[in-house]
């Protein structure tokens, strides 16, 4: 079975002038790609957690089509909040520092850098932020996907750092042809400037497999129930498949003697993964919703490039009994499970569907 890019119709072709679009439009033209697929998730070979019960009147849609039911985005900003509960709308949370609100002020609809052909998805995660050697300076960490960048220290004492993140990493390198009629100044404002990357300290590539599970209970109880159950099951099953599940901050500068990469004395470098809960990504009725990001450097068990390296794979209707099969088929073997597949994205920002 083949995967083909998801065709997205610009809002001005599908919305009237009196009605605002619910999502940013994106138009991407790509070459057809063929990826390995399996029709269904294999049956588990070991004991797993029971499928959680849902609240009355809020069941799971087991029959609806999943293919292509994912939000189109060019880049996803994963904010490390260190907690797994958020307000229903994360940019309206008044409980303290709110990077999601700051980002949407710049790149959300009506923002100064808003681009209807370059949608940026902003979500919260339960991953903790990095620990700086200067704890007196408040910072927040973010993952940028599928560019697979980790920004450990985003200072929260000035809006300048948020602007540097947007201008240096999130704006497009090249504008969509629909912007050809803009003035040179307007084009310049909407285009990425690499010089701003130098204003953010410690940015590095992501080498861990990231398993992201929607657990946004304040938005929908079904996701709030599935999130912790699936997180526990992935964290239990991944070590059995040969992965070191990492906890705590990805960077901790308070450690006096951090482990250096490339100093394993000839030992095989272990494959690592991080499992966390995330805020709303759409599709409550298809819980559990899972996104798996496989880094570009990821290898298969034979040491060769992994078929899905550099991809993000979206799944829906994942129960605890499916976790072992998802790890085996997608993370290890590089197969897309068609029965659960909502969509995918590669490093070029191409959205894929079956």
């Amino acid at each position: 079975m083949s995967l083909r890019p998801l065709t997205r119709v610009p809002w001005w072709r599908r919305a009237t002038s009196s009605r605002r679009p619910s999502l940013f439009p994106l138009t991407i033209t790509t070459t057809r790609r063929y990826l390995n697929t399996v029709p269904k998730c294999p049956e588990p070979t070991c004991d797993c957690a029971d499928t959680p019960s849902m609240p009355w009147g809020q069941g799971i849609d087991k029959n609806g089509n999943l293919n292509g039911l994912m939000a189109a985005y060019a880049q996803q900003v994963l904010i490390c909040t260190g907690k797994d509960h958020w307000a229903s709308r994360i940019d309206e949370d008044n409980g303290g520092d709110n990077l999601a609100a700051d980002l949407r002020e710049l790149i959300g609809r009506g923002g100064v850098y808003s681009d209807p052909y370059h949608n940026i998805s902003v979500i919260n995660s339960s991953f903790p932020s990095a620990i700086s050697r200067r704890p007196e300076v408040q910072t927040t960490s973010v993952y940028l996907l599928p560019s697979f960048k980790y920004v450990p220290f985003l200072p929260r004492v000035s809006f300048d750092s948020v602007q540097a993140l947007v201008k240096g990493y999130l704006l497009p390198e090249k504008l969509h042809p629909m912007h050809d009629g803009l003035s040179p100044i307007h084009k310049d404002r909407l285009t990425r400037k690499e010089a701003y990357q130098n204003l953010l300290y410690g940015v590095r590539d992501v080498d861990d497999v990231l398993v992201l599970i929607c657990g946004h209970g304040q938005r929908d109880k079904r996701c709030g129930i599935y999130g912790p159950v699936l997180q526990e099951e992935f964290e239990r099953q991944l070590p059995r498949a040969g992965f070191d599940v990492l906890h705590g901050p990805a960077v901790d500068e308070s450690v006096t003697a951090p482990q250096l990469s490339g100093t394993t004395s000839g030992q095989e470098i272990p494959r690592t993964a991080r499992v966390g809960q995330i805020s709303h990504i759409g599709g409550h009725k298809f819980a559990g919703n899972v996104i798996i990001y496989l880094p570009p450097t990821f290898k298969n068990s034979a040491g060769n490039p992994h078929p899905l390296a550099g991809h993000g794979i979206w799944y829906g209707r994942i129960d605890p009994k499916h976790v072992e099969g998802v790890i085996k088929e997608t993370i290890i073997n590089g197969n897309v499970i068609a029965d659960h597949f909502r969509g995918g994205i590669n490093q070029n920002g191409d959205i894929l569907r079956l």
Side-chain angles (χ1 to χ4, degrees):
M1 188 179 294
S2 65
L3 292 179
R4 67 176 187 272
L6 175 61
T7 302
R8 287 155 293 194
V9 180
W11 66 268
W12 42 267
R13 290 183 179 173
R14 56 181 168 84
T16 65
S17 58
S18 62
R19 190 176 172 189
R20 296 179 68 182
S22 60
L23 292 174
F24 283 102
L26 275 171
T27 302
I28 296 178
T29 303
T30 60
T31 303
R32 182 189 295 267
R33 292 199 60 195
Y34 294 91
L35 301 179
N36 297 329
T37 63
V38 294
K40 294 184 178 295
C41 192
E43 293 294 324
T45 61
C46 58
D47 293 336
C48 53
D50 294 331
T51 298
S53 299
M54 293 294 101
W56 185 85
Q58 289 187 302
I60 303 301
D61 184 346
K62 296 293 186 181
N63 300 313
N65 175 58
L66 288 177
N67 181 30
L69 293 182
M70 63 169 283
Y73 58 96
Q75 201 73 229
Q76 194 163 60
V77 182
L78 190 69
I79 303 171
C80 299
T81 70
K83 59 183 182 180
D84 56 13
H85 58 280
W86 310 279
S88 177
R89 297 188 179 279
I90 60 174
D91 54 340
E92 297 177 359
D93 190 345
N94 297 318
D97 180 55
N98 192 336
L99 178 57
D102 292 344
L103 285 170
R104 287 182 175 168
E105 182 177 331
L106 294 177
I107 57 179
R109 186 181 291 114
V112 65
Y113 303 112
S114 175
D115 184 345
Y117 300 97
H118 189 80
N119 183 30
I120 305 297
S121 167
V122 178
I123 58 177
N124 282 346
S125 80
S126 62
F127 296 134
S129 284
I131 298 176
S132 169
R133 65 171 62 96
R134 297 181 58 196
E136 70 277 9
V137 178
Q138 182 182 0
T139 61
T140 297
S141 304
V142 298
Y143 287 91
L144 307 179
L145 303 160
S147 62
F148 291 92
K149 294 292 184 182
Y150 177 65
V151 183
F153 306 114
L154 191 69
R156 302 298 291 136
V157 295
S158 169
F159 205 72
D160 291 344
S161 61
V162 183
Q163 297 235 24
L165 179 68
V166 171
K167 293 181 178 181
Y169 289 97
L170 298 182
L171 295 183
E173 295 178 307
K174 182 179 180 181
L175 293 179
H176 188 276
M178 290 300 296
H179 289 313
D180 287 348
L182 295 178
S183 67
I185 292 179
H186 198 171
K187 289 180 181 179
D188 181 73
R189 185 178 67 185
L190 294 178
T191 306
R192 184 181 306 179
K193 305 293 187 300
E194 290 190 3
Y196 284 94
Q197 297 179 6
N198 299 325
L199 301 179
L200 299 178
Y201 163 70
V203 179
R204 62 200 65 194
D205 295 333
V206 175
D207 294 320
D208 307 321
V209 173
L210 300 180
V211 179
L212 312 177
I213 306 156
C214 184
H216 200 167
Q218 290 295 321
R219 191 67 177 261
D220 189 273
K221 292 182 179 179
R222 289 166 289 192
C223 294
I225 293 172
Y226 262 97
V229 174
L230 290 178
Q231 179 178 5
E232 182 178 351
E233 191 66 19
F234 271 103
E235 290 179 342
R236 187 172 71 93
Q237 295 284 358
L238 280 165
R240 298 180 178 182
F243 287 83
D244 286 349
V245 178
L246 305 178
H247 302 274
V251 174
D252 185 352
E253 290 188 338
S254 68
V255 178
T256 56
Q259 181 180 359
L260 300 178
S261 60
T263 59
T264 56
S265 301
Q267 298 180 2
E268 182 180 354
I269 299 176
R271 295 195 287 182
T272 55
R274 293 183 181 273
V275 184
Q277 296 182 54
I278 57 174
S279 60
H280 175 61
I281 55 173
H284 309 302
K285 65 180 181 178
F286 301 124
N289 290 296
V290 177
I291 308 175
I292 300 173
Y293 282 106
L294 302 167
T297 56
F298 193 51
K299 308 288 185 182
N300 61 19
S301 56
N304 299 317
H306 191 278
L308 293 176
H311 284 71
I313 302 298
W314 286 51
Y315 284 138
R317 293 196 287 249
I318 297 297
D319 290 331
K321 67 180 180 181
H322 299 127
V323 169
E324 182 189 34
V326 168
I327 293 172
K328 175 184 177 182
E329 290 297 340
T330 299
I331 298 180
I332 295 179
N333 295 337
N335 296 321
V336 168
I337 304 173
D339 195 39
H340 298 277
F341 184 68
R342 290 184 58 183
I345 187 170
N346 62 22
Q347 274 194 285
N348 296 324
D350 305 330
I351 301 297
L352 304 173
R353 67 177 181 184
L354 293 178

